[in-house]
Amino acid sequence: MDRKVCDVVTGVTAPPSGGAVTPGTAVIALDVGGTAIKGAVEAANGLIDTRLQVPTPVADGVEAVVAAIVATIEALRAAASPQLTVVGVGIIFPGVVDREAGVARYSANIGWRDLPIRSLVSDLVGLPVAIDHDVRAAGLAEARLGAARGVDEALFVSMGTGVAAAVVTGGAVVSGAGGMAGEFGHLPVMPDGDRCGCGLRGCVEAYASAASLARRYMAAAGAGLLRAEDVITLAGSGDVVARKVFDDAVVALARALVSYVFIMDPSLIVIGGGMAAAGPVLTEPVAIEMKASMLWRDAPPLVTSALDGDAGRRGAALVAWSALDKQA
């Protein structure tokens, strides 16, 4: 499953310089999701040396997921180019992440609760390990290497199975008092709207996530299993039900973005995650909806991720390098 590559993502530079970033060194970066573990060996110069993706064995329990993470790290280390020395590991995942304590407080998609994942993995692989939230790490990558590079005030919104955000202010990604900053998907924007998985009604995620687009269309049209991209295609081809579902998603997302803009005044908004593949089909109507709600000021530019589906994994590498620099 692993394959050797030697590529540089457009616009990406090497990690920030520091005591741990020396020629010939590399880190292993893992983006752990409920479906797959995406990993790579990234050298100090920013080159991606080796990639590997394996299924996340969520159904087999917590121990099986930890074992899969360890096995992926070992496989990547074994496959890395001989001239590289792996010096650390960065692991990112969804949920409530206490990066300072190294603990996964709550990750519903993976089944973790108060799991000391940093020390568990570090002890098993014999390498320093750093952890962080997947969307915050992706936002860090966009801020350092991607669409928001050089932008001090930005918002990165990841739209996939769920919806979450990374708040970039002063050029840094904000964690918040309890590590829960960026729960953008649970802003209630549709009064008395659909019930969200969090228990509230009318949340952004209940309308604008990929899962919600598919769910709402299938419920309204009585259709079989569809993907979000199918719903968007149907909306563009004139399907009335799909058009309503998509328009609701646009309104929900725009309302949440307008609220954020009025509070934080970002100079750029970046849309990432699987939904970003829709490109202008998504961003243009959202921008129009935002403009209609911001009569006395301009809305910031709305763009899609420059790192595509690799933003999280690139962010995991940055998390690893940052932790190593602090130890140096």
Side-chain angles (χ1 to χ4, degrees), residues 206-293:
Y207 288 85
S209 70
S212 292
L213 254 71
R215 173 187 55 78
R216 297 188 76 239
Y217 179 81
M218 289 186 290
L225 189 62
L226 288 178
R227 302 169 301 170
E229 50 264 47
D230 298 325
V231 178
I232 294 172
T233 299
L234 287 169
S237 66
D239 184 297
V240 176
V241 176
R243 186 76 253 172
K244 175 65 165 61
V245 169
F246 181 70
D247 287 348
D248 285 348
V250 166
V251 170
L253 179 59
R255 286 179 178 176
L257 290 174
V258 166
S259 295
Y260 181 87
V261 169
F262 282 144
I263 295 170
M264 295 297 292
D265 189 29
S267 53
L268 183 69
I269 297 170
V270 181
I271 303 296
M275 292 280 286
V281 173
L282 174 65
T283 57
E284 288 181 0
V286 172
I288 292 169
E289 186 71 25
M290 289 178 67
K291 183 177 180 180
S293 301

Coordinates of all heavy atoms in Angstrom, one line a residue, residues 206-293:
A206 N -26.0 20.6 10.4 CA -27.2 19.9 10.0 C -27.7 20.2 8.6 O -28.6 19.5 8.1 CB -28.3 20.2 11.1
Y207 N -27.1 21.3 8.0 CA -27.5 21.7 6.7 C -26.4 21.7 5.7 O -26.6 21.3 4.5 CB -28.1 23.1 6.7 CG -29.4 23.2 7.4 CD1 -29.5 23.3 8.8 CD2 -30.6 23.1 6.6 CE1 -30.8 23.3 9.4 CE2 -31.8 23.1 7.2 CZ -31.9 23.2 8.6 OH -33.2 23.3 9.2
A208 N -25.2 22.0 6.1 CA -24.1 22.3 5.1 C -23.0 21.2 5.0 O -22.1 21.4 4.2 CB -23.5 23.7 5.4
S209 N -23.1 20.2 5.9 CA -22.0 19.2 5.8 C -22.4 18.3 4.6 O -23.5 18.2 4.1 CB -22.0 18.4 7.1 OG -23.2 17.6 7.2
A210 N -21.4 17.5 4.1 CA -21.6 16.6 3.0 C -22.6 15.5 3.5 O -23.5 15.2 2.7 CB -20.3 15.9 2.7
A211 N -22.5 15.1 4.7 CA -23.5 14.1 5.2 C -24.9 14.6 5.2 O -25.9 13.9 4.9 CB -23.1 13.6 6.6
S212 N -25.1 15.9 5.6 CA -26.4 16.5 5.7 C -27.0 16.7 4.3 O -28.2 16.5 4.2 CB -26.3 17.8 6.5 OG -26.0 17.5 7.8
L213 N -26.2 17.1 3.4 CA -26.8 17.3 2.0 C -27.4 16.0 1.5 O -28.5 16.0 1.0 CB -25.7 17.8 1.1 CG -25.7 19.2 0.7 CD1 -25.4 20.1 1.8 CD2 -24.8 19.5 -0.5
A214 N -26.6 14.9 1.7 CA -27.1 13.6 1.2 C -28.3 13.2 2.0 O -29.3 12.7 1.4 CB -26.0 12.6 1.3
R215 N -28.3 13.3 3.3 CA -29.3 12.9 4.2 C -30.6 13.6 3.9 O -31.7 13.0 3.8 CB -29.0 13.1 5.7 CG -30.1 12.8 6.7 CD -29.7 13.2 8.1 NE -29.2 14.5 8.2 CZ -30.0 15.6 8.3 NH1 -31.3 15.5 8.2 NH2 -29.5 16.8 8.4
R216 N -30.5 15.0 3.8 CA -31.7 15.8 3.6 C -32.4 15.5 2.2 O -33.6 15.5 2.1 CB -31.4 17.3 3.8 CG -30.9 17.6 5.2 CD -30.8 19.1 5.4 NE -32.1 19.7 5.6 CZ -32.6 20.7 4.8 NH1 -31.9 21.1 3.8 NH2 -33.8 21.2 5.1
Y217 N -31.5 15.3 1.2 CA -32.1 15.0 -0.1 C -32.8 13.7 -0.1 O -33.9 13.6 -0.6 CB -31.0 15.1 -1.2 CG -31.5 14.7 -2.6 CD1 -32.2 15.7 -3.3 CD2 -31.5 13.4 -3.1 CE1 -32.7 15.4 -4.5 CE2 -32.0 13.2 -4.3 CZ -32.6 14.2 -5.1 OH -33.2 13.9 -6.3
M218 N -32.1 12.7 0.4 CA -32.7 11.3 0.4 C -34.0 11.3 1.2 O -35.0 10.7 0.8 CB -31.7 10.3 1.0 CG -30.6 10.0 0.0 SD -29.5 8.7 0.6 CE -28.7 9.5 2.0
A219 N -34.1 12.1 2.3 CA -35.3 12.1 3.1 C -36.4 12.8 2.4 O -37.6 12.4 2.4 CB -35.1 12.8 4.4
A220 N -36.1 13.9 1.6 CA -37.1 14.7 0.9 C -37.6 14.0 -0.4 O -38.7 14.1 -0.8 CB -36.6 16.1 0.7
A221 N -36.6 13.4 -1.1 CA -36.9 12.8 -2.4 C -37.3 11.3 -2.3 O -37.7 10.8 -3.3 CB -35.7 13.0 -3.3
G222 N -37.0 10.7 -1.2 CA -37.3 9.3 -1.1 C -36.3 8.5 -1.9 O -36.6 7.4 -2.4
A223 N -35.1 9.1 -2.1 CA -34.1 8.4 -3.0 C -33.3 7.5 -2.2 O -33.2 7.5 -1.0 CB -33.3 9.5 -3.6
G224 N -32.5 6.6 -2.9 CA -31.6 5.7 -2.3 C -30.3 6.5 -1.9 O -30.2 7.7 -2.0
L225 N -29.3 5.7 -1.6 CA -28.1 6.3 -1.1 C -27.4 7.2 -2.1 O -27.1 6.7 -3.3 CB -27.1 5.1 -0.7 CG -25.8 5.6 0.1 CD1 -26.2 6.2 1.4 CD2 -25.0 4.4 0.3
L226 N -27.1 8.4 -1.7 CA -26.4 9.4 -2.6 C -25.3 10.0 -1.9 O -25.2 10.0 -0.6 CB -27.4 10.4 -3.1 CG -28.5 10.1 -4.1 CD1 -29.3 11.3 -4.4 CD2 -27.8 9.6 -5.4
R227 N -24.4 10.6 -2.6 CA -23.3 11.4 -2.0 C -23.6 12.9 -2.2 O -24.4 13.3 -3.0 CB -22.0 11.1 -2.7 CG -21.6 9.6 -2.6 CD -20.4 9.4 -3.6 NE -20.8 9.7 -5.0 CZ -19.9 9.8 -6.0 NH1 -18.6 9.5 -5.7 NH2 -20.3 10.1 -7.2
A228 N -22.9 13.7 -1.4 CA -23.1 15.2 -1.5 C -22.9 15.7 -2.9 O -23.6 16.5 -3.4 CB -22.2 15.9 -0.5
E229 N -21.8 15.2 -3.5 CA -21.5 15.7 -4.9 C -22.6 15.3 -5.9 O -22.9 16.1 -6.8 CB -20.2 15.1 -5.4 CG -20.0 13.6 -5.2 CD -19.2 13.3 -3.9 OE1 -19.6 13.8 -2.9 OE2 -18.3 12.4 -4.1
D230 N -23.4 14.2 -5.6 CA -24.5 13.9 -6.5 C -25.6 14.9 -6.3 O -26.3 15.3 -7.3 CB -25.0 12.5 -6.1 CG -24.0 11.4 -6.4 OD1 -23.2 11.5 -7.3 OD2 -23.9 10.4 -5.6
V231 N -25.8 15.3 -5.0 CA -26.9 16.3 -4.8 C -26.6 17.6 -5.4 O -27.4 18.2 -6.0 CB -27.1 16.4 -3.2 CG1 -28.1 17.5 -2.9 CG2 -27.4 15.1 -2.6
I232 N -25.3 18.0 -5.4 CA -24.9 19.3 -6.0 C -25.1 19.2 -7.5 O -25.5 20.2 -8.1 CB -23.4 19.6 -5.6 CG1 -23.4 19.9 -4.1 CG2 -22.9 20.8 -6.4 CD1 -21.9 20.0 -3.6
T233 N -24.7 18.1 -8.1 CA -24.9 17.9 -9.5 C -26.4 18.0 -9.9 O -26.8 18.6 -10.9 CB -24.3 16.6 -10.0 OG1 -22.9 16.6 -9.7 CG2 -24.5 16.3 -11.5
L234 N -27.2 17.3 -9.1 CA -28.7 17.3 -9.4 C -29.2 18.7 -9.2 O -30.1 19.1 -10.0 CB -29.4 16.4 -8.4 CG -29.2 14.9 -8.7 CD1 -29.7 14.0 -7.5 CD2 -29.9 14.4 -10.0
A235 N -28.7 19.5 -8.3 CA -29.2 20.8 -8.1 C -28.9 21.7 -9.3 O -29.7 22.5 -9.7 CB -28.5 21.4 -6.8
G236 N -27.7 21.5 -9.9 CA -27.3 22.2 -11.0 C -28.0 21.8 -12.3 O -28.1 22.6 -13.2
S237 N -28.6 20.6 -12.3 CA -29.3 20.1 -13.5 C -30.8 20.4 -13.4 O -31.6 20.0 -14.3 CB -29.1 18.6 -13.7 OG -29.7 17.9 -12.6
G238 N -31.3 21.1 -12.3 CA -32.7 21.5 -12.3 C -33.5 20.7 -11.4 O -34.7 20.9 -11.3
D239 N -33.0 19.7 -10.6 CA -33.8 18.9 -9.7 C -34.2 19.8 -8.6 O -33.4 20.4 -7.9 CB -32.9 17.8 -9.1 CG -33.7 16.9 -8.2 OD1 -34.2 17.3 -7.2 OD2 -33.8 15.7 -8.5
V240 N -35.6 20.0 -8.4 CA -36.1 20.9 -7.5 C -35.8 20.6 -6.1 O -35.4 21.5 -5.3 CB -37.7 21.0 -7.7 CG1 -38.3 21.9 -6.6 CG2 -38.0 21.5 -9.1
V241 N -35.9 19.4 -5.7 CA -35.5 19.0 -4.3 C -34.1 19.2 -4.0 O -33.7 19.8 -3.0 CB -35.9 17.5 -4.1 CG1 -35.5 17.1 -2.7 CG2 -37.4 17.3 -4.2
A242 N -33.2 18.8 -4.9 CA -31.8 19.0 -4.7 C -31.5 20.5 -4.6 O -30.6 21.0 -3.8 CB -31.0 18.4 -5.9
R243 N -32.1 21.3 -5.4 CA -31.9 22.8 -5.4 C -32.3 23.4 -4.1 O -31.5 24.2 -3.5 CB -32.7 23.4 -6.5 CG -32.5 24.9 -6.7 CD -31.2 25.2 -7.5 NE -30.2 25.7 -6.6 CZ -28.9 25.8 -7.0 NH1 -28.6 25.5 -8.2 NH2 -28.0 26.3 -6.2
K244 N -33.4 22.9 -3.5 CA -33.8 23.4 -2.2 C -32.8 23.0 -1.1 O -32.4 23.8 -0.2 CB -35.2 22.8 -1.8 CG -35.7 23.2 -0.4 CD -35.9 24.7 -0.3 CE -36.7 25.0 1.0 NZ -36.1 24.6 2.3
V245 N -32.3 21.7 -1.1 CA -31.4 21.2 -0.2 C -30.1 22.0 -0.3 O -29.5 22.4 0.7 CB -31.1 19.7 -0.4 CG1 -29.9 19.3 0.5 CG2 -32.4 18.9 0.0
F246 N -29.6 22.2 -1.5 CA -28.4 23.0 -1.7 C -28.5 24.4 -1.3 O -27.6 25.0 -0.6 CB -27.9 22.9 -3.1 CG -26.6 23.6 -3.4 CD1 -25.4 23.1 -2.9 CD2 -26.6 24.7 -4.2 CE1 -24.2 23.7 -3.2 CE2 -25.4 25.4 -4.4 CZ -24.2 24.9 -3.9
D247 N -29.6 25.0 -1.6 CA -29.8 26.4 -1.2 C -29.9 26.6 0.3 O -29.3 27.6 0.8 CB -31.1 27.0 -1.8 CG -31.0 27.2 -3.3 OD1 -29.9 27.2 -3.9 OD2 -32.1 27.4 -4.0
D248 N -30.5 25.6 1.0 CA -30.5 25.7 2.4 C -29.1 25.6 3.0 O -28.7 26.3 4.0 CB -31.3 24.5 3.0 CG -32.8 24.7 2.9 OD1 -33.2 25.9 2.5 OD2 -33.6 23.8 3.1
A249 N -28.2 24.8 2.4 CA -26.9 24.7 2.8 C -26.1 26.0 2.6 O -25.3 26.4 3.5 CB -26.2 23.5 2.0
V250 N -26.3 26.6 1.5 CA -25.7 27.9 1.2 C -26.1 28.9 2.2 O -25.3 29.7 2.8 CB -26.1 28.4 -0.2 CG1 -25.7 29.8 -0.4 CG2 -25.4 27.5 -1.3
V251 N -27.4 29.0 2.5 CA -27.9 30.0 3.5 C -27.3 29.7 4.9 O -26.9 30.7 5.5 CB -29.4 30.0 3.5 CG1 -29.9 30.8 4.7 CG2 -30.0 30.5 2.2
A252 N -27.3 28.5 5.3 CA -26.8 28.2 6.6 C -25.3 28.5 6.7 O -24.9 29.1 7.7 CB -27.0 26.7 6.9
L253 N -24.5 28.2 5.7 CA -23.1 28.5 5.8 C -22.9 30.0 5.7 O -22.0 30.5 6.5 CB -22.4 27.8 4.6 CG -20.9 28.0 4.4 CD1 -20.2 27.6 5.7 CD2 -20.4 27.3 3.2
A254 N -23.6 30.7 4.9 CA -23.4 32.1 4.7 C -23.8 32.8 6.0 O -23.0 33.8 6.5 CB -24.2 32.7 3.6
R255 N -24.8 32.4 6.7 CA -25.2 33.1 7.9 C -24.1 32.9 9.0 O -23.8 33.9 9.7 CB -26.5 32.5 8.4 CG -27.8 32.9 7.7 CD -29.0 32.3 8.2 NE -30.2 32.8 7.5 CZ -31.4 32.3 7.7 NH1 -31.7 31.4 8.6 NH2 -32.5 32.8 7.0
A256 N -23.6 31.7 9.1 CA -22.5 31.5 10.1 C -21.3 32.3 9.7 O -20.6 32.9 10.6 CB -22.2 30.0 10.1
L257 N -20.9 32.4 8.5 CA -19.8 33.1 8.1 C -19.9 34.6 8.3 O -19.0 35.3 8.8 CB -19.4 32.9 6.6 CG -18.9 31.5 6.2 CD1 -18.8 31.3 4.7 CD2 -17.6 31.2 6.9
V258 N -21.1 35.1 8.1 CA -21.4 36.6 8.3 C -21.2 36.9 9.8 O -20.6 37.9 10.2 CB -22.8 36.9 7.8 CG1 -23.2 38.3 8.4 CG2 -22.9 37.0 6.3
S259 N -21.7 36.0 10.7 CA -21.6 36.2 12.1 C -20.1 36.2 12.5 O -19.7 37.1 13.3 CB -22.3 35.1 12.9 OG -23.7 35.1 12.7
Y260 N -19.3 35.3 11.9 CA -17.9 35.3 12.2 C -17.2 36.6 11.7 O -16.4 37.2 12.4 CB -17.2 34.1 11.6 CG -15.8 34.0 11.9 CD1 -15.3 33.4 13.1 CD2 -14.8 34.6 11.1 CE1 -14.0 33.3 13.4 CE2 -13.5 34.6 11.4 CZ -13.1 33.9 12.6 OH -11.7 33.9 12.9
V261 N -17.6 37.0 10.5 CA -16.9 38.2 10.0 C -17.2 39.4 10.8 O -16.3 40.2 11.1 CB -17.4 38.4 8.5 CG1 -17.0 39.8 8.0 CG2 -16.9 37.4 7.6
F262 N -18.4 39.6 11.3 CA -18.8 40.7 12.1 C -18.0 40.7 13.4 O -17.7 41.8 14.0 CB -20.3 40.8 12.4 CG -21.1 41.3 11.2 CD1 -22.3 40.8 11.0 CD2 -20.6 42.3 10.4 CE1 -23.1 41.3 9.9 CE2 -21.4 42.8 9.4 CZ -22.6 42.3 9.1
I263 N -17.7 39.5 14.0 CA -17.0 39.5 15.3 C -15.5 39.6 15.1 O -14.9 40.3 15.8 CB -17.4 38.1 16.0 CG1 -18.9 38.1 16.3 CG2 -16.6 37.9 17.2 CD1 -19.4 36.8 16.8
M264 N -15.0 38.8 14.1 CA -13.5 38.7 14.0 C -12.9 39.5 12.9 O -11.6 39.6 12.9 CB -13.1 37.2 13.9 CG -13.5 36.4 15.1 SD -12.6 36.9 16.6 CE -10.9 36.4 16.2
D265 N -13.6 39.9 11.9 CA -13.1 40.7 10.8 C -11.9 40.1 10.1 O -10.8 40.7 10.0 CB -12.7 42.1 11.3 CG -12.3 43.1 10.2 OD1 -12.9 42.9 9.1 OD2 -11.5 44.0 10.4
P266 N -12.1 38.8 9.6 CA -10.9 38.2 8.9 C -10.7 38.9 7.5 O -11.7 39.4 6.9 CB -11.4 36.8 8.7 CG -12.9 36.9 8.6 CD -13.3 38.0 9.6
S267 N -9.5 38.8 7.0 CA -9.3 39.3 5.6 C -9.4 38.2 4.6 O -9.4 38.5 3.4 CB -7.9 39.9 5.6 OG -6.9 39.0 6.0
L268 N -9.6 36.9 5.0 CA -9.8 35.8 4.1 C -10.5 34.7 4.7 O -10.3 34.4 5.9 CB -8.4 35.3 3.6 CG -8.3 34.2 2.6 CD1 -8.8 34.7 1.2 CD2 -6.9 33.6 2.4
I269 N -11.4 34.0 3.9 CA -12.0 32.8 4.4 C -11.6 31.7 3.4 O -11.8 31.8 2.2 CB -13.5 32.9 4.4 CG1 -13.9 34.0 5.5 CG2 -14.2 31.6 4.8 CD1 -15.4 34.4 5.4
V270 N -11.2 30.6 4.0 CA -10.7 29.4 3.1 C -11.7 28.2 3.4 O -11.9 27.9 4.6 CB -9.3 29.0 3.5 CG1 -8.9 27.8 2.6 CG2 -8.3 30.2 3.3
I271 N -12.2 27.7 2.4 CA -13.1 26.5 2.5 C -12.3 25.3 2.1 O -11.7 25.2 1.0 CB -14.3 26.6 1.6 CG1 -15.1 27.8 1.9 CG2 -15.2 25.3 1.7 CD1 -15.7 27.9 3.3
G272 N -12.2 24.3 3.0 CA -11.5 23.0 2.8 C -12.4 21.8 3.0 O -13.6 22.0 3.2
G273 N -11.8 20.7 3.0 CA -12.6 19.4 3.2 C -13.1 19.0 1.9 O -12.9 19.6 0.8
G274 N -13.9 17.9 1.9 CA -14.4 17.3 0.7 C -15.3 18.2 -0.1 O -15.3 18.2 -1.4
M275 N -16.1 19.1 0.6 CA -17.0 19.9 -0.1 C -16.3 21.0 -0.9 O -16.9 21.6 -1.9 CB -17.9 20.6 0.9 CG -18.9 19.7 1.6 SD -20.3 19.3 0.6 CE -21.2 20.8 0.7
A276 N -15.0 21.3 -0.6 CA -14.3 22.3 -1.3 C -14.1 21.9 -2.8 O -13.9 22.8 -3.7 CB -12.9 22.5 -0.7
A277 N -14.2 20.6 -3.1 CA -14.1 20.2 -4.5 C -15.2 20.8 -5.4 O -15.0 20.8 -6.6 CB -14.2 18.6 -4.6
A278 N -16.2 21.2 -4.8 CA -17.3 21.9 -5.6 C -16.8 23.2 -6.2 O -17.4 23.7 -7.2 CB -18.6 22.1 -4.8
G279 N -15.8 23.8 -5.6 CA -15.2 25.1 -6.1 C -16.3 26.2 -6.2 O -17.1 26.4 -5.2
P280 N -16.2 26.9 -7.3 CA -17.1 28.1 -7.4 C -18.6 27.8 -7.3 O -19.4 28.6 -7.0 CB -16.8 28.6 -8.8 CG -15.4 28.1 -9.1 CD -15.3 26.8 -8.4
V281 N -19.0 26.5 -7.6 CA -20.4 26.1 -7.5 C -20.9 26.3 -6.1 O -22.0 26.7 -5.8 CB -20.6 24.6 -7.9 CG1 -22.0 24.1 -7.6 CG2 -20.2 24.4 -9.4
L282 N -20.0 26.2 -5.1 CA -20.3 26.4 -3.7 C -19.9 27.8 -3.3 O -20.8 28.5 -2.7 CB -19.6 25.4 -2.8 CG -19.7 25.6 -1.3 CD1 -21.1 25.4 -0.9 CD2 -18.8 24.7 -0.6
T283 N -18.7 28.3 -3.6 CA -18.3 29.5 -3.0 C -19.0 30.7 -3.6 O -19.2 31.7 -2.9 CB -16.8 29.7 -3.3 OG1 -16.4 29.6 -4.6 CG2 -16.0 28.6 -2.5
E284 N -19.4 30.7 -4.9 CA -20.0 31.9 -5.5 C -21.4 32.2 -4.9 O -21.6 33.3 -4.5 CB -20.1 31.7 -7.0 CG -18.7 31.9 -7.7 CD -18.8 31.8 -9.2 OE1 -19.9 31.5 -9.8 OE2 -17.7 31.9 -9.8
P285 N -22.3 31.2 -4.8 CA -23.6 31.5 -4.1 C -23.4 31.9 -2.7 O -24.2 32.7 -2.2 CB -24.4 30.2 -4.3 CG -23.4 29.2 -4.7 CD -22.3 29.8 -5.3
V286 N -22.5 31.3 -2.0 CA -22.2 31.7 -0.6 C -21.8 33.1 -0.5 O -22.2 33.9 0.4 CB -21.2 30.7 0.1 CG1 -20.8 31.2 1.5 CG2 -21.8 29.3 0.2
A287 N -20.9 33.5 -1.4 CA -20.4 34.9 -1.4 C -21.5 35.9 -1.7 O -21.6 36.9 -1.1 CB -19.3 35.0 -2.4
I288 N -22.4 35.5 -2.6 CA -23.6 36.4 -2.9 C -24.5 36.5 -1.7 O -25.0 37.6 -1.4 CB -24.3 35.8 -4.1 CG1 -23.5 35.9 -5.4 CG2 -25.7 36.5 -4.3 CD1 -24.0 35.2 -6.6
E289 N -24.7 35.4 -1.0 CA -25.6 35.4 0.1 C -25.0 36.2 1.3 O -25.7 37.0 1.9 CB -25.8 33.9 0.6 CG -26.8 33.8 1.7 CD -28.3 34.0 1.3 OE1 -28.6 33.9 0.1 OE2 -29.1 34.4 2.2
M290 N -23.7 36.1 1.4 CA -23.0 36.9 2.4 C -23.1 38.4 2.1 O -23.4 39.2 3.0 CB -21.5 36.5 2.5 CG -21.3 35.1 3.2 SD -19.5 34.7 3.2 CE -18.9 36.0 4.3
K291 N -22.9 38.7 0.9 CA -22.9 40.2 0.5 C -24.3 40.7 0.7 O -24.4 41.9 1.2 CB -22.6 40.3 -1.0 CG -22.6 41.7 -1.5 CD -22.2 41.8 -3.0 CE -22.1 43.2 -3.5 NZ -21.7 43.3 -4.9
A292 N -25.4 40.0 0.5 CA -26.7 40.4 0.8 C -27.0 40.7 2.2 O -27.9 41.5 2.6 CB -27.7 39.4 0.2
S293 N -26.2 40.1 3.1 CA -26.4 40.3 4.6 C -25.4 41.3 5.2 O -25.4 41.5 6.4 CB -26.3 39.0 5.3 OG -27.2 38.0 4.8

